Amino acid sequence: SQQGEEDPQALSIQEGENATMNCSYKTSINNLQWYRQNSGRGLVHLILIRSNEREKHSGRLRVTLDTSKKSSSLLITASRAADTASYFCASGSGNTGKLIFGQGTTLQVKP
Amino acid sequence: NAGVTQTPKFQVLKTGQSMTLQCAQDMNHNSMYWYRQDPGMGLRLIYYSASEGTTDKGEVPNGYNVSRLNKREFSLRLESAAPSQTSVYFCASTGQGSSYNSPLHFGNGTRLTVT
């Protein structure tokens, strides 16, 4: 079964606005990762946050992790039309080497 | 830099036919993975290979077999295709032994339709 669930499933905003996507997971994790997928392409890694970290930044991206609530959020600031894509969270746990993906949030940024 | 290359890009099969999806990476990565992506389901792990010579089942292995041919190549075989296997298949790799502490690099996918 899927470990990660994302909210909202779809998000539509204007260019320049901020976009926030949330991810919840069910079991203890070692790390949580966020990926972007443009239409018709493979996934591209954005950022990884470890279980002992609470917040991480990369350019216009800010990721938070709350292990007590088993949740993470991805904030994209000052969005651009080029940010239009699907965004997936993925969690790694134990020593199995498996990464479990959420169902994704589809983001549309209108110019 | 080719990264992860998947072939073919598109394929249509009839029920019961067999085929092999090919994946190769040129990043000297140890671990390789096969995922399928279905609408509303996200990505689900089919099989993975933590290192050359080893393979393990993921969440949805039924109906599939894999071969880690060498460090570069990891193939996925459908022995008798079924309509339920209509999906987009992604191969991924990572360099640090297992995926749970390092990012995955994905290919662009194989879009498979089984009629």
Side-chain angles (χ1 to χ4, degrees), chain A residues 30-31 35 37 40 96-97, chain B residues 35 37 44 48 99-100 104 111:
Chain A
N30 294 312
N31 69 85
Y35 288 80
Q37 184 180 33
T96 63
Chain B
Y35 286 88
Q37 184 176 32
R44 292 180 291 170
Y48 67 103
S99 72
Y100 73 95
L104 296 180
R111 285 146 186 82

Side-chain angles (χ1 to χ4, degrees), chain B residues 21-51:
Chain B
L21 282 66
Q22 308 286 354
C23 174
Q25 51 89 9
D26 62 1
M27 296 172 284
N28 200 34
H29 283 171
N30 291 320
S31 301
M32 298 184 73
Y33 305 81
W34 278 105
Y35 286 88
R36 60 177 288 174
Q37 184 176 32
D38 302 294
M41 299 291 290
L43 278 81
R44 292 180 291 170
L45 183 63
I46 305 171
Y47 269 95
Y48 67 103
S49 170
S51 61

Side-chain angles (χ1 to χ4, degrees), chain A residues 1-2 30-31 33 35 37 39-45 48 50 88 92-104, chain B residues 33 35 37 40-45 48 56-59 88 90 96 98-109 111:
Chain A
S1 61
Q2 292 284 316
N30 294 312
N31 69 85
Q33 303 181 28
Y35 288 80
Q37 184 180 33
S39 180
R41 303 301 296 269
L43 281 73
V44 175
H45 180 259
L48 181 154
R50 302 192 190 285
F88 294 87
S93 60
N95 60 358
T96 63
K98 299 175 186 177
L99 204 61
I100 305 298
F101 284 81
Q103 296 171 342
Chain B
Y33 305 81
Y35 286 88
Q37 184 176 32
M41 299 291 290
L43 278 81
R44 292 180 291 170
L45 183 63
Y48 67 103
D56 286 286
K57 296 178 180 179
E59 299 173 78
V88 182
F90 287 99
Q96 296 183 15
S98 64
S99 72
Y100 73 95
N101 270 333
S102 54
L104 296 180
H105 297 256
F106 281 84
N108 282 328
R111 285 146 186 82

